[in-house]
Amino acid sequence: MRKTILLIEDDREISELICQHLRQEGFTVLAAYDGEEAMAMFERERIDLMVLDLMLPQLGGLEVLRKVRERSRLPVLILSAKGSELDKALGLGIGADDYISKPFSMIELTARIHAAIRRVTEYLPPKEETTGAVNVLQYKDLTLDLNTFAATAKGKTILLTSKEFHILKLFMTHPNRVFTKEQIYHFVWEDNYYYGNENVINVHIRRLREKIESDPSNPTYLRTIWGIGYKLGE
């Protein structure tokens, strides 16, 4: 089934080049040129993934991302000329799944889109589980439903992004195992780890703690193992 990508890019020349390339790759591509148009299309169309520029007229990219994250776990890839570590941390902190700095290659963009979609679809339950059986991971008061992507902590429903879901799934399928940041990046991002990715991991762990922990500064689920990484457990 063809996946539908919503591209939000105000530079029409760049937008057309990306649209043409992604359509050649087999995607259905919808183009929006400002934030308000993007939100209208998001509300109206069935979107599988969003590629989002940050510097947009009408409604800025970060505000678009905030509004999308209020109601959807849709994978969002930021595409921006603002490539500083602070900008990346801000975008990822609000809920983006990936961040690609301009200038970029079409090969890299396509690879990251395929990886983001694969992370969402590869965890769909097998056919025998779609007949009503529930596939739920549980650790203390924390649950993760692999059929619905729903999470609860102490009975409270939590809305996770795609990356947050897969990080939590990694830990909940291996409770008490310590994962280094390099291992987390390898399993969740499916890419080689380099020094700059450390901040990406830190941001996602912090956001995940804010959602599942009663006191994120004193976590009881996701614990830091200093000098090594993180683990779920005592």
Side-chain angles (χ1 to χ4, degrees):
M1 182 177 177
R2 291 170 67 95
K3 300 297 183 182
T4 299
I5 296 173
L6 174 58
L7 171 65
I8 307 106
E9 166 63 66
D10 64 323
D11 187 314
R12 291 178 181 261
E13 183 175 349
I14 293 176
S15 176
E16 182 56 36
L17 289 173
I18 295 174
C19 287
Q20 181 178 356
H21 176 79
L22 293 180
R23 286 166 183 152
Q24 290 174 348
E25 291 292 320
F27 295 105
T28 298
V29 186
L30 306 175
Y33 303 102
D34 63 63
E36 291 184 356
E37 182 183 16
M39 288 308 303
M41 296 179 75
F42 169 75
E43 298 285 357
R44 184 174 68 247
E45 306 288 346
R46 183 189 179 282
I47 308 298
D48 295 296
L49 180 140
M50 179 181 290
V51 178
L52 174 65
D53 188 16
L54 290 185
M55 301 176 69
L56 297 171
Q58 306 300 326
L59 188 67
L62 290 179
E63 187 60 26
V64 170
L65 180 58
R66 288 191 183 94
K67 289 179 177 293
V68 169
R69 278 293 168 254
E70 288 174 357
R71 63 196 87 175
S72 174
R73 289 184 290 272
L74 173 79
V76 178
L77 276 65
I78 289 179
L79 187 66
S80 179
K82 301 174 69 176
S84 72
E85 289 299 315
L86 179 60
D87 291 319
K88 291 181 180 180
L90 183 59
L92 293 169
I94 293 175
D97 293 276
D98 207 346
Y99 194 113
I100 306 173
S101 299
K102 296 179 180 177
F104 59 94
S105 73
M106 291 295 182
I107 294 175
E108 178 188 13
L109 175 62
T110 304
R112 293 190 183 227
I113 287 173
H114 279 297
I117 291 175
R118 185 167 62 250
R119 281 191 293 269
V120 173
T121 58
E122 71 180 358
Y123 287 97
L124 290 175
K127 289 183 178 180
E128 59 268 25
E129 294 181 359
T130 62
T131 57
V134 178
N135 190 4
V136 176
L137 300 175
Q138 184 163 4
Y139 178 82
K140 295 185 177 180
D141 295 325
L142 185 64
T143 65
L144 188 66
D145 190 325
L146 304 185
N147 291 353
T148 64
F149 281 49
T152 61
K154 296 180 173 60
K156 180 181 177 182
T157 301
I158 304 166
L159 182 64
L160 299 175
T161 67
S162 172
K163 282 291 197 317
E164 291 164 354
F165 172 86
H166 290 100
I167 292 172
L168 188 55
K169 182 179 185 293
L170 176 65
F171 281 107
M172 292 188 70
T173 51
H174 302 88
N176 297 310
R177 173 178 168 180
V178 178
F179 286 95
T180 65
K181 293 178 182 179
E182 182 176 359
Q183 289 172 326
I184 295 171
Y185 196 84
H186 173 74
F187 285 121
V188 176
W189 275 260
E190 299 180 335
D191 201 354
N192 293 325
Y193 178 87
Y194 58 93
Y195 180 75
N197 297 137
E198 180 178 2
N199 195 45
V200 174
I201 300 296
N202 293 340
V203 169
H204 280 83
I205 292 293
R206 185 181 72 245
R207 283 185 55 83
L208 191 52
R209 282 174 169 166
E210 289 172 352
K211 294 182 178 183
I212 68 175
E213 302 281 1
S214 298
D215 180 5
S217 63
N218 185 29
T220 58
Y221 292 126
L222 278 181
R223 296 181 178 273
T224 299
I225 308 301
W226 295 108
I228 303 177
Y230 304 95
K231 76 169 185 175
L232 179 70
E234 299 297 335

